[in-house]
Amino acid sequence: MGALHEGHLSLVRHALVENTDVFVSIYVNPTQFGVNEDLDKYPKTWEADMAKLIELKKEFRERSEQGIAGEIAGIFAPTTKVMYPVLPPSSEIDGDGSFVTITPMGKWLEGASRPVFFRGVATLFNIVQPDRVYFGQKDVQQTVLIKRMVKDFHIPTEVRVIPTTREADGLAMSSRNVFLGERRRKDVSVLSKALLAAQHSWNQGQTSAGRIRQTAFEVFDARLEKGDGAYFGSQKIEVDYIALTRSHDMTTIDDAEFIDPAEGAILSAAMKVHPVSDPEMAEERNQIPVRLIDNVILEPRR
Amino acid sequence: MGALHEGHLSLVRHALVENTDVFVSIYVNPTQFGVNEDLDKYPKTWEADMAKLIELKKEFRERSEQGIAGEIAGIFAPTTKVMYPVLPPSSEIDGDGSFVTITPMGKWLEGASRPVFFRGVATLFNIVQPDRVYFGQKDVQQTVLIKRMVKDFHIPTEVRVIPTTREADGLAMSSRNVFLGERRRKDVSVLSKALLAAQHSWNQGQTSAGRIRQTAFEVFDARLEKGDGAYFGSQKIEVDYIALTRSHDMTTIDDAEFIDPAEGAILSAAMKVHPVSDPEMAEERNQIPVRLIDNVILEPRR
């Protein structure tokens, strides 16, 4: 969707190494935004995006010329009238249009907060159908849903999932991070820290779903009690969910259950970071609530 | 869906003339049947179908060898487990699954009677995506919906619509006609007669939507009053709808409106033929209600 950051560039680098012709999709797809979501506010940074891709082209020039790596063959940046030629796509969950829906998976977790999101993603992907597609691990439910769709619709696409690129403090890169502003930015790494602590307990041998989730919640609670950052003290961060789900279909592993070591699991979370209320500190771009997501894979073990 | 008749063979003949490799789809697609519809009762006549296709192969052998016509390269007859590998597809309108929906068109007319029908058709077609596809004019809403889907999803398929093949008395050929039995069979041509009478009035210059529909209804009414066939007298035939719609999007042309001569219209109808109640006459296959559809195109004129 543009507003390219290192996470996106990592996808393009992987694609260049594994393919001859790489198309970079930069399209803020309206069908995946609900009526009250941030479509209008979504950052559009075309010039900066192009500059980054030109840098990347240079970075790969030698390898491309030697035929060791591919080339950025084009940017996929349609207008919405080209993409959805007949009706403007509805942003209502019961709205009309030509849609692909993948349920029940598309209704859970991110789908619960954003009812039309996966419908929009699936509809666009169904139109594009590349030979190989590169998704970031950060949007884990999207990767599981797309893999499921590829299987159900017999789509000849190989789905590649690339590890999440993180900032120095662990925050998963996201185009929405720019909305945070300085004050909120410094506290949001609690999300990845909570997930990594829980992953650590799995790596140490813990298999109780309840215990693993509790470990993640405790990281939030500890920060809250210590008043680490005014925003915790003033309830500026709200955990939406911390969910332990099966890797192949995103079904929930209940707290009373134990994770199958041979299958592993996905631990994913979402939190909402509310605007800073101090009017002296708040810049304009601080004024919108930002929803951040992240996840870790609890890898299978023998 | 199998139970091949001359209408299907006409599609295959057209395909053979226009293509090198023709695949005949014989798949009773469960996703297009609702919970109370006739999936289990739908005629399955594999041996007879193959015999007809072998005959057709012979009919085309010389032309195929000369390269003037194509060949039947295969039969597309998957099992449902192959087609829908993960979940058994739901037949409930609110049921879960990986689906393509084309609305609002898919909710109207045939979609009103059969809520999951077009979802099933669209989902299957989305999987198959041939270079060219051949549909019969008889299922007119299906042809308009598939054309719309091809446009909305940018599918590289050419949609060919082949005129309806009719019995001597005008009845549109349908696999479901075998359920009628002899007594009901002789009266059902009222459907095509009503549509043809209305089409005639259009051809004579009538453009009032209300008048044209009225002409069709009058054919039913006339038969009813005369008691022409016991089934009319005992209310055995029930008109579901007689609808005048725009050709490109199946929106209704109201009775108070006039048809744009430059655009023409579609006049489509559905009727339900109820079982014969006389127990002495009724064969077993007469025992289910049969729903029949038909349509005529009111061609544009200058």
Side-chain angles (χ1 to χ4, degrees), chain B residues 219-243:
Chain B
V219 173
F220 279 93
D221 292 347
R223 304 285 292 258
L224 190 65
E225 280 163 21
K226 279 192 289 181
D228 180 357
Y231 319 120
F232 283 85
S234 54
Q235 304 293 324
K236 291 301 175 196
I237 284 180
E238 184 189 343
V239 175
D240 185 354
Y241 63 79
I242 298 178

Side-chain angles (χ1 to χ4, degrees), chain A residues 252-272:
Chain A
T252 297
I253 304 174
D254 289 331
D255 278 351
E257 291 181 84
F258 291 85
I259 300 168
D260 180 352
E263 212 208 326
I266 296 166
L267 183 67
S268 60
M271 69 180 193
K272 210 163 182 179

Side-chain angles (χ1 to χ4, degrees), chain B:
Chain B
M1 300 209 294
L4 298 184
H5 52 63
E6 274 301 315
H8 296 119
L9 299 182
S10 169
L11 301 182
V12 181
R13 283 193 185 92
H14 277 83
L16 284 167
V17 170
E18 298 175 1
N19 302 275
T20 54
D21 298 277
V22 173
F23 291 81
V24 179
S25 171
I26 300 189
Y27 177 51
V28 182
N29 177 20
T31 61
Q32 64 198 58
F33 287 81
V35 275
N36 294 316
E37 294 176 28
D38 59 353
L39 172 62
D40 294 338
K41 299 194 194 75
Y42 200 87
K44 289 167 201 77
T45 55
W46 181 261
E47 299 296 331
D49 291 349
M50 289 308 108
K52 283 173 186 164
L53 292 175
I54 287 165
E55 274 306 305
L56 199 60
K57 242 179 135 62
K58 284 185 196 152
E59 180 187 323
F60 273 78
R61 179 159 297 156
E62 207 171 313
R63 276 177 284 174
S64 298
E65 282 170 3
Q66 292 173 355
I68 311 169
E71 279 190 298
I72 299 176
I75 312 294
F76 178 74
T79 63
T80 287
K81 182 66 194 165
V82 163
M83 212 58 223
Y84 303 109
V86 184
L87 284 185
S90 174
S91 295
E92 307 274 356
I93 185 66
D94 293 325
D96 287 322
S98 297
F99 292 124
V100 172
T101 49
I102 312 292
T103 60
M105 200 190 293
K107 294 189 283 197
W108 299 333
L109 303 172
E110 287 306 293
S113 286
R114 308 183 63 191
V116 304
F117 177 70
F118 289 116
R119 180 177 77 180
V121 169
T123 301
L124 181 65
F125 178 71
N126 188 63
I127 294 172
V128 178
Q129 299 200 7
D131 297 329
R132 284 206 190 94
V133 67
Y134 291 76
F135 284 107
Q137 177 66 39
K138 199 203 85 186
D139 297 284
V140 66
Q141 192 178 359
Q142 174 172 265
T143 68
V144 176
L145 184 134
I146 290 286
K147 282 181 185 173
R148 169 66 181 279
M149 174 177 164
V150 161
K151 197 168 178 184
D152 279 352
F153 286 178
H154 305 257
I155 297 174
T157 295
E158 184 186 339
V159 180
R160 299 276 290 119
V161 179
I162 306 302
T164 303
T165 306
R166 297 180 181 281
E167 305 283 359
D169 66 351
L171 175 67
M173 289 204 186
S174 164
S175 300
R176 289 189 174 85
N177 291 351
V178 302
F179 293 130
L180 289 168
E182 219 175 289
R183 286 182 76 193
R184 288 193 291 175
R185 168 65 188 85
K186 67 179 183 191
D187 282 310
V188 293
S189 68
V190 63
L191 181 59
S192 61
K193 288 187 171 77
L195 293 172
L196 290 167
Q199 186 186 42
H200 182 71
S201 81
W202 162 258
N203 290 340
Q204 296 292 105
Q206 182 60 262
T207 58
S208 154
R211 289 296 189 88
I212 288 172
R213 287 180 69 238
Q214 191 52 39
T215 301
F217 276 113
E218 279 165 6
V219 173
F220 279 93
D221 292 347
R223 304 285 292 258
L224 190 65
E225 280 163 21
K226 279 192 289 181
D228 180 357
Y231 319 120
F232 283 85
S234 54
Q235 304 293 324
K236 291 301 175 196
I237 284 180
E238 184 189 343
V239 175
D240 185 354
Y241 63 79
I242 298 178
L244 207 41
T245 53
R246 290 174 189 85
S247 305
H248 65 288
D249 65 0
M250 299 294 287
T251 51
T252 297
I253 304 172
D254 289 331
D255 279 352
E257 291 182 84
F258 290 85
I259 300 168
D260 178 355
E263 214 208 326
I266 296 166
L267 183 67
S268 60
M271 70 180 192
K272 210 163 183 179
V273 190
H274 293 281
V276 173
S277 52
D278 181 345
E280 283 186 60
M281 298 296 287
E283 302 158 20
E284 196 195 348
R285 61 178 186 175
N286 276 347
Q287 297 306 307
I288 64 170
V290 180
R291 197 166 168 284
L292 299 177
I293 64 173
D294 200 353
N295 70 87
V296 292
I297 306 295
L298 309 187
E299 296 287 351
R301 55 179 181 237
R302 294 145 214 267

